Amino acid sequence: MITTSVDNWCGVIEAADYGPLSRHEAPFARALRQAVVDLSDDDHVKVIVLRTTHGDFAGAGTPPPVDTTEVLTTWHRDFAASSAVYQAVCFSKKVVVTEVAGHCSAAGSMLVLCSDLTVAAENATFASPFTDLPEANFVLAALTMRLNRAKSWLLRGSTMPAAEAVSVGLVNQVVPADELAATTRELARSVTGMPLDGITMSKMLLQAVLDGHGVGREFDLADHYAIHRWAGLNAGTVQG
Amino acid sequence: MARYGTPESIAAASTQVRYEVQRDPGIAYITLNRPEKHNAMSVPMRDRIIDLVDEANIDPDVKVIVFRGVGKSFCSGNEINEEWGQRRPHERRRTLTVGYRYGADMAWGRLGFSQAISRSPKVTIAQLHGYCAAAAYFMIACKCDLVVASDDARIGALEARFLGPAGAVASVHINRILGTKAARRTGFTAMTMSGPEARELGLVTRLAHRDELAEATLALATEIAATPTGQLLYLKARLRAAEAVMDTSVPAITGLLVSHFLQSAPDEMDFWRTARQVGVGGALDADKKRTGAVDPRAGTEGTS
């Protein structure tokens, strides 16, 4: 499902695609979270690259509605908790790079928002994470793209092509698909040239800044968004 | 809630702010209709906007609220030379005490009209052409969820020329929308942004030629209104919550209030004297010629 490797200070996480997160597949979320935490804890890793081995970074998918009790317990543990997958990426002690080819469904865009740096292929597209994923973090989007652009993405539920993503600041670089891996390698090499402690201390500082802006508080609201999002669907289930 | 204004200005508000609803696809239009004043908003006009947003909020057919203006400009901001029920009219802007109601309305009160816009559960769109200045900029355009602008729009904190820059500089909201350097530029220089520049900076969602502006707004509003009602209300609810944690919905612009009502420099007092004599437009022209505010601590005050 997920493989990891470490070479020359660079940890690489590979999956066929990250689409299972968009469908709220808990085992996949737990495995990805564990891979990120393990590489973050590895003293021989300065940068973590999230990469896919097949076509899309995160294939399309919609999560099924979740019952309120589950939202507050198991769903919370796997997708909303401070120790769950997205906060493990967002608050990693190492620099996280997303390497995006093809389509990013909702969860793919969330991984991009949670990562520090992103390289995208020209065929990459970025769907709004906010329509389907209660755990999506709007504050991260507003900080990354500026407030009104993030609002437009949320309200229109739109999908951004790579060229637009780079112009609004969602990704750092857009390159032809056959140059993607080499570009990511070069970017990672630039990061690994820095001292390990310097990287970790910078990430600690960055996390305080993110929380100062409300990123953590927005993550904490995920349960409330989830209950609201699925309230009508749960009511329908009960009535049915 | 007390209603401020003269009988004439209160009576005029119902035609100066028009309201219409297109039930299909579900768009409410709030149209500023005071073209002879570039749609400057009086206190009764702002009170009417609050009422109309409330009406749209509870109308189940309305999914999107569009703000637009008739005439040469979208809106030049708040009417700044009006009688609106002050206890001592000749002191209309000289002290915080006199300005309390006015300040509560526009800068930090929960009942103010900009709060009605920013906290609406419906999606809000500002349609900008010509001037979008002062309160129209930071209390309508910046508070709306989406902005459609014509390429000849001139958007900015023009009031900073004579009232002080604090509103545009210190607003958390504007800093989040434009970035901090651009926010400071709009406040400290009072230079306007063109439509394309505002799009580049992130304020404007969609740009259109002047004669295609209404069509572009309708297309965006129709696109939004096609979203199922429950989903749209959910998205707006989570947007409001996220803005709460980012503090962008906070109405406090204390510096704005202070800069508007404390005018200690003599040549700034000249602005109001000139405005009384030749109107605000003439005072703005005269203001361009002055060499700069005199520091009252230098002992040169006392000319007013």
Side-chain angles (χ1 to χ4, degrees), chain B residues 110-179:
Chain B
R110 293 280 166 178
L111 301 177
F113 88 111
S114 74
Q115 292 293 293
I117 297 170
S118 67
R119 294 176 190 273
S120 169
K122 304 298 173 72
V123 177
T124 50
I125 300 177
Q127 175 185 309
L128 312 183
H129 72 285
Y131 277 102
C132 171
Y137 161 55
F138 63 84
M139 304 189 84
I140 299 181
C142 287
K143 296 294 182 186
C144 280
D145 298 311
L146 304 166
V147 179
V148 182
S150 66
D151 40 20
D152 65 348
R154 298 181 69 182
I155 307 160
L158 292 172
E159 86 287 1
R161 290 187 61 81
F162 55 95
L163 291 177
V169 172
S171 159
V172 176
H173 209 145
I174 295 179
N175 277 279
R176 285 275 181 272
I177 291 170
L178 299 180

Side-chain angles (χ1 to χ4, degrees), chain B:
Chain B
M1 184 172 159
R3 293 292 184 183
Y4 290 88
T6 63
E8 294 76 24
S9 66
I10 291 173
S14 61
T15 55
Q16 289 172 338
V17 185
R18 296 197 319 238
Y19 183 69
E20 58 203 282
V21 176
Q22 286 183 3
R23 303 266 157 211
D24 184 14
I27 304 169
Y29 285 99
I30 294 178
T31 309
L32 302 174
N33 181 34
R34 198 188 179 196
E36 71 280 9
K37 289 271 193 178
H38 289 270
N39 295 324
M41 294 178 288
S42 64
V43 170
M45 287 171 72
R46 300 202 293 275
D47 283 346
R48 179 160 161 78
I49 289 173
I50 295 172
D51 293 342
L52 295 176
V53 171
D54 280 348
E55 190 173 332
N57 286 348
I58 61 168
D59 186 334
D61 288 344
V62 172
K63 292 179 169 179
V64 181
I65 305 171
V66 172
F67 293 85
R68 62 185 180 181
V70 168
K72 288 181 180 174
S73 294
F74 167 64
C75 178
S76 57
N78 286 331
E79 171 61 69
I80 55 175
N81 205 24
E82 69 177 320
E83 302 286 345
W84 51 271
Q86 306 93 316
R87 198 159 58 88
R88 295 192 291 176
H90 66 284
E91 283 193 343
R92 63 180 60 135
R93 282 177 179 278
R94 303 265 286 269
T95 69
L96 281 172
T97 307
V98 172
Y100 186 94
R101 169 66 176 83
Y102 186 81
D105 175 62
M106 67 176 290
W108 48 271
R110 293 280 166 178
L111 301 177
F113 88 111
S114 74
Q115 292 293 293
I117 297 170
S118 67
R119 294 176 190 273
S120 169
K122 304 298 173 72
V123 177
T124 50
I125 300 177
Q127 175 185 309
L128 312 183
H129 72 285
Y131 277 102
C132 171
Y137 161 55
F138 63 84
M139 304 189 84
I140 299 181
C142 287
K143 296 294 182 186
C144 280
D145 298 311
L146 304 166
V147 179
V148 182
S150 66
D151 40 20
D152 65 348
R154 298 181 69 182
I155 307 160
L158 292 172
E159 86 287 1
R161 290 187 61 81
F162 55 95
L163 291 177
V169 172
S171 159
V172 176
H173 209 145
I174 295 179
N175 277 279
R176 285 275 181 272
I177 291 170
L178 299 180
T180 56
K181 292 288 184 185
R184 276 177 259 188
R185 198 214 75 183
T186 63
F188 286 135
T189 71
M191 285 165 58
T192 54
M193 292 176 280
S194 66
E197 189 184 2
R199 166 121 173 91
E200 184 74 19
L201 287 167
L203 170 65
V204 168
T205 314
R206 196 170 282 181
L207 204 58
H209 291 298
R210 176 76 164 262
D211 53 2
E212 294 166 355
L213 181 63
E215 200 179 321
T217 308
L218 177 62
L220 181 61
T222 304
E223 177 193 328
I224 298 286
T227 310
T229 302
Q231 186 176 327
L232 214 47
L233 289 170
Y234 161 74
L235 289 172
K236 271 295 307 227
R238 66 163 299 168
L239 198 54
R240 285 203 308 281
E243 289 215 70
V245 304
M246 296 178 74
D247 287 344
T248 50
S249 56
V250 173
I253 319 177
T254 309
L256 173 78
L257 189 66
V258 172
S259 72
H260 276 209
F261 299 118
L262 297 182
Q263 299 184 0
S264 50
D267 62 349
E268 289 175 10
M269 298 307 298
D270 288 345
F271 177 85
W272 297 109
R273 190 182 301 127
T274 310
R276 277 197 294 277
Q277 292 162 357
V278 297
V280 172
L284 276 169
D285 287 339
D287 185 68
K288 290 174 190 165
K289 295 174 187 162
R290 72 182 168 95
T291 54
V294 176
D295 185 345
R297 291 167 299 186
T300 53
E301 73 269 52
T303 58
S304 59

